Amino acid sequence: GSKVIVYTAHLNIASDLDAILEAFSIVTKKCSNANLVVVGGGPMLEDFKNLAKQVGVSDNVIFTGYVATADVAKFIKLADLCVVYYKPKKANYFRTSMKIRENLAMGKLVVCNDVGDLKQFKDYTHQTKTSVEDFAQEIISSLDDKPDNSAEAIGYIRKNYSWDTIGKNFVARLEELM
């Protein structure tokens, strides 16, 4: 009967899991049956575990630690929804989110904010402004109300981000340059 929220990441300085944990502390006040599964390890794993305790959500957060790449999809498959959040810092405006593409390719409901690359997925996600409070409220709403646009999201990802498409565009560009 619990709601499973999945966040996948290498837990290093680039991970904005601290903001997600802060948002999740708001979520658990309204949805006590929500659980966050943090899939991945990294040099900041223990820091984030400590932060989960500090913000009072450690009973509702599962840290998997390192997971082999081939097994990450198994965790995503379990999700009621996936989350992707970028803080509004300069580097995040130049990142390309593989997480959002992977989650959408698997037909998952995704709650994300609107920083950088994430903006282009607004038609296929439940996208919020960047505030942690807005992000938390959208997670709460999305856990109850899950309109299914997975077919459109999967189609969009396949059309624009499959290796066939990327490869063809890369070859065409190389031919232009030669």
Side-chain angles (χ1 to χ4, degrees):
S2 69
K3 301 288 185 172
V4 178
I5 302 166
V6 171
Y7 172 72
T8 59
H10 180 67
L11 302 177
N12 61 18
I13 195 72
S15 172
D16 290 325
L17 179 56
D18 54 334
I20 292 170
L21 290 171
E22 184 182 339
F24 192 62
S25 73
I26 297 168
V27 170
T28 57
K29 289 179 176 106
K30 301 265 175 133
C31 303
S32 61
N33 67 336
N35 290 289
L36 175 64
V37 180
V38 177
V39 181
M44 293 187 64
L45 175 61
E46 292 305 315
D47 296 307
F48 287 126
K49 284 181 178 180
N50 289 332
L51 181 58
K53 286 178 190 166
Q54 288 174 16
V55 299
V57 296
S58 59
D59 289 343
N60 295 73
V61 179
I62 299 164
F63 288 91
T64 66
Y66 171 79
V67 171
T69 303
D71 293 330
V72 172
K74 294 175 187 174
F75 286 95
I76 295 171
K77 186 176 179 182
L78 296 172
D80 290 299
L81 69 89
C82 297
V83 291
V84 180
Y85 184 91
Y86 286 169
K87 290 180 183 175
K89 54 189 177 188
K90 191 170 185 176
N92 284 340
Y93 287 93
F94 299 96
R95 290 174 71 177
T96 298
S97 175
M98 293 305 294
K99 288 180 200 79
I100 200 164
R101 289 162 173 80
E102 292 164 351
N103 295 333
L104 292 173
M106 290 184 67
K108 289 299 172 179
L109 173 65
V110 177
V111 174
C112 67
N113 65 326
D114 62 353
V115 169
D117 174 64
L118 301 178
K119 277 187 180 184
Q120 72 184 1
F121 298 96
K122 67 179 172 38
D123 293 336
Y124 307 100
T125 62
H126 289 219
Q127 193 167 90
T128 72
K129 296 293 180 194
T130 300
S131 84
V132 168
E133 294 79 12
D134 286 348
F135 187 67
Q137 290 306 315
E138 189 58 41
I139 292 170
I140 293 165
S141 298
S142 297
L143 286 172
D144 291 331
D145 176 32
K146 294 193 272 187
D148 186 8
N149 69 342
S150 59
E152 293 91 6
I154 292 168
Y156 175 78
I157 296 297
R158 285 185 180 159
K159 178 181 175 198
N160 295 289
Y161 299 104
S162 72
W163 283 114
D164 288 340
T165 301
I166 292 169
K168 286 177 188 172
N169 292 340
F170 181 71
V171 168
R173 182 68 176 130
L174 280 178
E175 288 173 350
E176 280 177 27
L177 294 171
M178 295 182 353

